[in-house]
Structures are given as C-alpha cells and as structure tokens.
Amino acid sequence: MNDLRIPKLYTIKKTPKEDLEKWYRLMTIGRAIDEKAPNYLKQAIGWSYHAPYAGHDGIQLAIGQHFDKNKDHLFPYYRDMLTALSSGMTAEEIILNGISKATDPSSGGRHMSNHLAKPEWNIHSVSSATGNHTLHAVGVARAIKYYNEKVVSISSQGESSVSEGYVYEAITGADKEELPVIFVFQDNGYGISVPKKDQTAQRKVANNFIGFKNTRIIHCNGKDVFDSMNAMAEAKRYAIEESKPVILQANCVRMGSHSNSDDHLLYRSDSERNYVIDYDPLAKFRRMLLRYERFTEEELQAIEVDTKAVIKAAHKAAMAAPDPDPASIYDFVFAEPVVSEKYPEGVHHEEGEKKKLITALNETLKAEFRANPDTFIWGQDMANKDKGGIFNVSKGMQKEFGDKRVFNGPIAEDFILGTANGMSRYDEKIRVVVEGAEFADYFWPAMEQYVDISHDYWRSNGKFAPNITIRLASGGYIGGGMYHSQNIEGSLAAIPGVRIVYPSFADDAAGLLRTSIRSKGLTMFMEPKALYQDPKAATVVPDDFEVPFGKARVRREGSDLTILTYGNATHFSLKAANKLAEEGIGNIEVIDLRSLVPLDEEAILESIKKTNRVLIVHEDKVFGGFGGELSAIINEKAFEYLDAPIKRIGSPFTPVGFNRILEKAILPDMEKVYNAAKEIIEY
C-alpha cells in the first residue's frame, strides 16, 4: 500500500521556535560528535568503529523526536547516533559508548562502539549482524498488540540490509499478523562500497514490498527535517491507529565513508562527493532558519557556542569515567536460573503410575501455561485442531489456552526464534517457548538469531535477558536419515550464554522443562524423539518436579567403570552395564548428565576418583562431539585417577543413513557400549 498523502504538521513557518531551537541543538551536538569520533581512534583512546551519520540528519532527528521513551520500543542501527541523541541520550553517554567505558549505558563497554542502546528506556541493544533486529522489532510489536497498548515498535536500518533474508521474514510476518511496527530504511545508496544497483532491482528498495497486503509504504526526503518529521508522524499514527506495519523509506546521502575502516575515495568520484556535501542536511536547515527569519545569525552562533561547551564537558566527564574491570568478563554470561527448594539435587522418590516422556512434556507445558498467563508457545505445526507439533508434544494446548498464546509459526526458523527474542523484550515476566524447528537438523537457518540471543545478556551488561526455551526434537533411532536424525548439541555447546539440557527419562524431561521455562535467559531443550513413546523412558513424574541446571543423576551405582552419557545413549548404557554385571565382568556406574551446559563436573570427577576408569557414550559423532570436551576436562582434572585410557563411543564421522541397515551401522547401541566397557575394565 503506497500512499503519498502525508499531513504537513511541521513546516518552517508554523513549527514553534522552541522546537526549532531544540532540533538545531541536537543536530549541532550530533554533528560535532560525529566529526570528533575519528579523533578518538587516532589518539588511541577508542571508537575503533564509527559509522558517520552525516547526510541522514533529517530522518534520524525525526525518529528520535517521535520515540516516546519507556512506551515505544526503538531498535537503532550502528549509524543511528543522532537518532539516539534525539531520543534522549546525552552527549556524554554517546562518548562513553564510543570509548567503551564501564559506565557506558549501552553495554558497559562490552559492545562495539557506535552501537547505542538504553534498555531501561526501551532503546534496545542491537548486534552487528545487519538488519537482524527487524525480527526483534516484530516480536515486540506482537506483544504490543497482544497486550493492547497504543504504542509502536521502530526498527531502523540501512537500505542494503534489506537484502538479508530475515528482513523479508520480519516484514512478511508483520504484514501477516498486522502488527504496529515501523521499518525505517535510511537509504544512502551504498552498502559499504556496494552501490544500490548491485543490491536490488528496485531504485527504492521499499517498493520491493509494494504488493504486501497490509503494509503501508511511505517515502520521504531523509535529508529534510520537515519532510522527515511529517513522514515519521504519519507512520506512527498509522501504525498505532490501524495496527499495521509501515515501511518508511528515507532518501539520504552518505557524506563520508561507510566507516573508519572504509575509504570512499576508492569508489566515489569527485563529483559525487561534492554533490553529497552540497546536500548537507544540517547546512540546509541552518539556511532555512535564517531565510525564513526564525533565527538570527547571532542566535544560531550562540547555540553553536553552547554546543562546543556541551561537547567539551561530555568529553571531560567520559574521559574520567572508569574502564571496564577485566574480572567482569564472567559477569552476565548466564542469566539467573530458578533454584528448587524441594528438589535441590533434581531427584525424587515418588511412587505411582509411570508416564511416557511425551506425556510428561505435554503436562508440564500445560501446567506452566496455567501458572503464568504470560507464557507463549509457537513453532511449525503447533496448533491445528488437536495437533501440537510434528510429534504432538503440545497437543491440546491451543484448545485450552487460545490461539493468541499457542499458534503456528511460518516455515522460517529465523522468524520463529527472532520474534521470540523480541517478544521477551516487552516485559521480563513473559516466558516464550518455541519449537525452534520440527527436527533439530532444521535449526540451522535460525543460528544467526541463536548466536545473537546467546550474548544479549552479556552484551547489555545484564540489562536484558531473553527468557526463551527452545525445544528441539533431536537424535536418531527413527530411520529418519539426513535432516531428521542428526545431533547438534556438540556444535551448540561451543557458544557461551546458552544452557543446554538433554533428558533421558520422563521425570527429568518434566523437571528440566519446568526449570527452563521459569528461569531467566535462554535454554536449549533437546528432546530425544525416539524416546517420546518408548516405555523404557517412562517414569513416575511428580506434578511439581524440578531439575536444577548443572546437576547430573547417577542412574546406576558402580565401582569398576564410569559411563558418562545422556539422551538415547543412557538407555543402552544402562542395558550394557546390567549385562556386564550379570556376567560378573564388572560393576559399572552410569551417570546421566542431563545438563550439558552447565555441566556437573563435580559429579563426573567424584565418580572417576572412585572407579578410575571412564567411558563416554553419546549418539553424536565422536569427532567434534560433546564427548571430546568431556574427555578434555577429565584429562585436565582427573588424569591422576585414571587406570585406563578414556574411551568414547558415538557415531562415526558420517551423516546418519536413512536405510535402517545403514542407521544401525552408524549409531551406537548396547552391543558397542558393552564391548567398549568390557575392554576398558579388562585393560
């Protein structure tokens, strides 16, 4: 929907003088910092990354002036310095970010300079992955609509970032759900050195979305203060009153290089560079103020003198601010988990009817949704009549909790996870559970969002924790083959900031899921799908059971060998251990890790001190699998207790075959564990 009718609320003649003065002060302060920033790098003080905004002045001023702090939500990108100033951040706060001080409100000096945020005002921390915050803005807008608040979510970015697939997913989703979100495209014609013609077929990238049913497209001159103010006012009015998305494309110029690591002299002609300087928005605004006699030359010079004083004071204060403490790097890696008072070790002694693992998951989800009305779940195939996910784990949930809390996501894993990040930003009481992909193998399109979420808590210096549980049906033994039977926990475990749990039995599945949902931060909940309906995984499940993170469970006591395992592998490890005991070969201790990150190192080391031998068993590939990390920990911390080499059992370095014969040849089983354990005991 392309509508050019924009009310002229702001003009040079009728805008109050106090507003014009405020705008000119903001613009001169912003430009002064913009021009000063490279000097900090030259003096080795900081600001190692600076993307100058000069040429974007009109639209950035307008975004900030229409942002209502603590109500609206703003996702600025790395060039949005004036946007941040116009939104209320101070010159000192901008410089604190640029030179990475501990008191930087954006990240405490942890994030890249020029990435400005103030989460307590809803100016959100955005990563360096260009355009990915569009999904977060859509997630916030979903929450705004659900809670019926008359505010707006604003995503700001350059036009070249619109080439990213997740930007299309964000706009498609916002259009489908009719969400109050504004996507501002600041079009300066370049993506670093790549001209727009190499990025998109449309001269105006917003027009790529002209066929979208519910999305309004507005074009404005981003160099002009009044055109930008009018366009932004109309975009916000429309998004709120109609509860529909708006794309606001602002035509800008980039007066300098992309950043201090780029040299535009290498790809821009003299005539082009002279052209963009001629269109300097600040110089144009100053001329207008004089031409229409809204200010005198003396008045403007007085403001400019004040600007110099503001910059000088801000610089002095920022330089005196403390640097980050190196010891603080371990702060805010993981958000705070809930602590179980009743089940501190994650074990119980309840007797009664056994429940299958799938039933335990389903009942726990429903119980948590009843306990906290601000809990949501979505994913693929989640909510069609009585169906709940490809394996029916969430069966019956939409019927009980409604289609606003339980709903289908598109086949777009980035969108599923990215909007979960956004929705969790709206209010810390919200808990989001997503079925991140129908099978763990299909999770890879969401990895950019996964990585981004993993360091949100650390990057924001503890100001924002994404309270999300990602459920993934994982593992083999179903004859699924490639893309239906792979394990990915070994790859994921290398990324700090995410808890990873992998239960083997119904009670642990219920307890870990309850803990995951109730805790702050991100948890990857791996579900061994081959065990959903398997009687051997069925257990008694207390209604309130909780399993703490980082607590292993001894499934079988022993003295001759320790088996470390989890998931599907736990069951054939137990079977092999029992067989060896029956044959009088050895008494084996089987430790079900349950929690991979964090890991119960204490339980592992105590067991090895007792048995002096260890076998690591998992179904993932041995090469690059999680067992390699276990082996390294044992070698570093328990080598003196070992009477035999560490051995690992898992899959060979091949994909998992679809044919059952091939699958059996690849995946570990009881016989392979039995033989390996016997070999270690007899060593």
Side-chain angles (χ1 to χ4, degrees):
M1 186 194 313
N2 199 341
D3 190 345
L4 301 179
R5 294 170 295 174
I6 308 296
K8 303 300 181 184
L9 304 179
Y10 304 93
T11 68
I12 184 62
K13 292 182 178 180
K14 68 180 183 182
T15 301
K17 185 172 182 177
E18 56 267 28
D19 288 342
L20 295 175
E21 180 178 347
K22 178 176 68 173
W23 297 352
Y24 189 65
R25 285 184 183 277
L26 287 168
M27 293 172 73
T28 54
I29 291 171
R31 186 64 70 87
I33 301 175
D34 203 39
E35 294 174 352
K36 183 180 177 64
N39 293 330
Y40 287 95
L41 178 61
K42 292 176 182 176
Q43 297 173 56
I45 296 172
W47 230 308
S48 58
Y49 178 78
H50 172 241
Y53 77 82
H56 295 231
D57 309 55
I59 187 59
Q60 292 197 11
L61 177 78
I63 295 171
Q65 291 300 289
H66 287 94
F67 168 71
D68 198 352
K69 69 180 182 182
N70 298 317
K71 294 181 179 179
D72 296 327
H73 292 258
L74 175 60
F75 295 82
Y77 82 124
Y78 55 79
R79 203 181 299 280
D80 265 319
M81 182 188 292
L82 181 56
T83 301
L85 278 167
S86 183
S87 298
M89 293 185 72
T90 66
E92 181 182 339
E93 289 175 326
I94 301 297
I95 297 174
L96 285 169
N97 169 264
I99 60 177
S100 304
K101 290 292 187 174
T103 50
D104 157 37
S106 302
S107 71
R110 293 171 170 227
H111 199 8
M112 199 173 191
S113 52
N114 250 66
H115 290 65
L116 298 160
K118 200 163 187 177
E120 56 268 40
W121 285 3
N122 297 338
I123 303 177
H124 293 276
S125 173
V126 169
S127 81
S128 300
T130 182
N132 83 316
H133 56 279
T134 50
L135 289 166
H136 309 159
V138 170
V140 168
R142 180 185 290 153
I144 289 170
K145 185 168 185 174
Y146 177 83
Y147 291 100
N148 197 30
E149 191 177 4
K150 298 300 180 183
V151 297
V152 72
S153 178
I154 305 167
S155 170
S156 177
Q157 62 197 97
E159 87 288 345
S160 293
S161 67
V162 181
S163 298
E164 293 281 6
Y166 40 69
V167 176
Y168 280 85
E169 292 178 17
I171 297 172
T172 301
D175 185 84
K176 182 263 177 188
E177 296 182 41
E178 299 184 30
L179 300 177
V181 56
I182 302 171
F183 302 99
V184 181
F185 299 163
Q186 299 184 38
D187 183 356
N188 63 29
Y190 282 94
I192 310 182
S193 64
V194 179
K196 185 166 52 178
K197 67 180 179 63
D198 293 343
Q199 293 278 358
T200 178
Q202 293 274 13
R203 187 173 66 88
K204 293 184 180 296
V205 69
N207 291 341
N208 287 332
F209 304 92
I210 205 164
F212 280 40
K213 179 181 178 181
N214 298 306
T215 301
R216 182 176 178 184
I217 298 174
I218 296 174
H219 293 275
C220 76
N221 180 356
K223 304 181 294 297
D224 183 86
V225 168
F226 300 102
D227 199 39
S228 297
M229 287 292 294
N230 288 323
M232 192 65 200
E234 176 62 10
K236 184 173 181 179
R237 181 205 67 78
Y238 183 87
I240 292 175
E241 292 182 7
E242 301 295 329
S243 187
K244 290 183 179 179
V246 178
I247 295 175
L248 174 53
Q249 172 140 356
N251 182 35
C252 305
V253 292
R254 200 185 74 200
M255 294 176 61
S257 296
H258 166 76
S259 68
N260 50 10
S261 60
D262 171 55
D263 184 358
H264 69 166
L265 298 178
L266 300 176
Y267 55 87
R268 298 173 89 178
S269 66
D270 291 344
S271 60
E272 182 183 347
R273 287 185 283 108
N274 291 333
Y275 163 83
V276 297
I277 292 172
D278 289 342
Y279 279 83
D280 181 349
L282 177 57
K284 176 187 176 183
F285 185 56
R286 193 182 195 282
R287 289 194 299 268
M288 289 182 72
L289 295 176
L290 294 172
R291 184 183 309 126
Y292 288 89
E293 298 181 349
R294 301 304 308 273
F295 286 81
T296 65
E297 177 66 30
E298 290 73 20
E299 287 175 315
L300 294 182
Q301 288 182 3
I303 293 172
E304 290 158 6
V305 170
D306 287 346
T307 292
K308 292 180 180 178
V310 168
I311 298 301
K312 185 176 181 180
H315 166 77
K316 184 177 180 180
M319 289 297 292
D323 292 319
D325 182 354
S328 71
I329 61 171
Y330 299 105
D331 296 340
F332 311 122
V333 177
F334 295 95
E336 297 79 10
V338 295
V339 177
S340 177
E341 295 182 3
K342 186 174 181 180
Y343 304 100
E345 300 299 319
V347 296
H348 67 89
H349 304 287
E350 190 161 321
E351 297 181 355
E353 180 185 358
K354 291 184 177 182
K355 296 179 181 179
K356 292 182 178 179
L357 193 146
I358 193 169
T359 303
L361 292 173
N362 180 268
E363 291 183 352
T364 303
L365 284 170
K366 289 176 179 176
E368 292 307 298
F369 267 65
R370 294 178 193 124
N372 180 4
D374 298 296
T375 308
F376 303 83
I377 188 169
W378 61 82
Q380 295 169 32
D381 284 313
M382 286 298 300
N384 292 305
K385 295 183 179 179
D386 285 331
K387 186 175 182 180
I390 191 68
F391 296 103
N392 285 339
V393 174
S394 54
K395 183 177 182 179
M397 290 189 66
Q398 189 182 66
K399 184 176 181 180
E400 179 174 351
F401 304 108
D403 61 4
K404 296 295 187 293
R405 294 178 64 193
V406 181
F407 53 91
N408 290 318
I411 303 177
E413 292 79 11
D414 244 348
F415 181 84
I416 290 170
L417 188 52
T419 57
N421 182 328
M423 196 164 186
S424 70
R425 291 169 183 263
Y426 181 80
D427 194 305
E428 65 177 12
K429 69 178 180 289
I430 290 175
R431 294 295 186 271
V432 179
V433 183
V434 295
E435 195 164 287
E438 291 189 322
F439 295 83
D441 319 56
Y442 290 108
F443 186 68
W444 299 115
M447 278 304 294
E448 188 279 327
Q449 289 298 325
Y450 181 86
V451 171
D452 183 78
I453 296 173
S454 74
H455 49 65
D456 262 321
Y457 190 51
W458 194 89
R459 189 178 75 234
S460 66
N461 206 25
K463 290 184 178 181
F464 166 65
N467 301 324
I468 303 168
T469 298
I470 305 171
R471 293 181 41 245
L472 284 183
S474 181
Y477 305 97
I478 63 166
M482 285 77 72
Y483 283 97
H484 294 86
S485 295
Q486 305 293 329
N487 289 77
I488 66 173
E489 69 274 7
S491 299
L492 299 182
I495 300 170
V498 186
R499 297 177 290 251
I500 302 175
V501 297
Y502 209 137
S504 309
F505 288 86
D507 53 356
D508 283 350
L512 285 167
L513 183 58
R514 178 169 285 108
T515 301
S516 298
I517 294 173
R518 293 183 177 182
S519 295
K520 293 182 179 180
L522 179 63
T523 304
M524 175 61 80
F525 191 91
M526 313 296 284
E527 301 173 4
K529 55 185 177 286
L531 298 178
Y532 279 145
Q533 301 282 6
D534 197 323
K536 66 175 176 280
T539 65
V540 176
V541 183
D543 291 339
D544 61 348
F545 191 46
E546 295 172 295
V547 176
F549 299 121
K551 286 287 185 180
R553 187 168 181 173
V554 179
R555 290 289 177 182
R556 188 184 191 282
E557 297 275 358
S559 57
D560 299 322
L561 169 68
T562 297
I563 293 182
L564 303 177
T565 186
Y566 58 90
N568 288 310
T570 302
H571 295 278
F572 44 79
S573 294
L574 286 168
K575 192 173 181 180
N578 290 334
K579 183 179 179 181
L580 287 163
E582 290 169 3
E583 295 175 357
I585 296 174
N587 187 15
I588 296 176
E589 184 152 290
V590 178
I591 295 182
D592 182 356
L593 296 176
R594 302 191 295 189
S595 174
L596 306 186
V597 181
L599 182 67
D600 192 348
E601 289 190 17
E602 182 180 358
I604 293 170
L605 298 178
E606 285 301 314
S607 180
I608 292 171
K609 288 177 184 178
K610 178 174 63 173
T611 67
N612 309 117
R613 291 172 171 80
V614 61
L615 172 64
I616 298 166
V617 183
H618 58 56
E619 65 177 289
D620 196 5
K621 290 171 280 295
V622 172
F623 184 88
F626 187 72
E629 189 61 34
L630 294 173
S631 179
I633 291 170
I634 295 165
N635 265 319
E636 290 174 6
K637 299 183 179 182
F639 181 79
E640 61 187 296
Y641 301 105
L642 294 176
D643 290 338
I646 300 169
K647 192 172 183 63
R648 288 179 285 159
I649 291 292
S651 299
F653 200 53
T654 71
V656 177
F658 177 74
N659 184 290
R660 288 282 191 176
I661 298 173
L662 297 178
E663 182 189 64
K664 180 173 175 56
I666 293 168
L667 292 175
D669 56 21
M670 189 280 291
E671 184 179 353
K672 294 173 184 175
V673 177
Y674 172 89
N675 291 333
K678 183 179 179 183
E679 179 183 336
I680 296 173
I681 290 172
E682 294 176 347
Y683 178 81

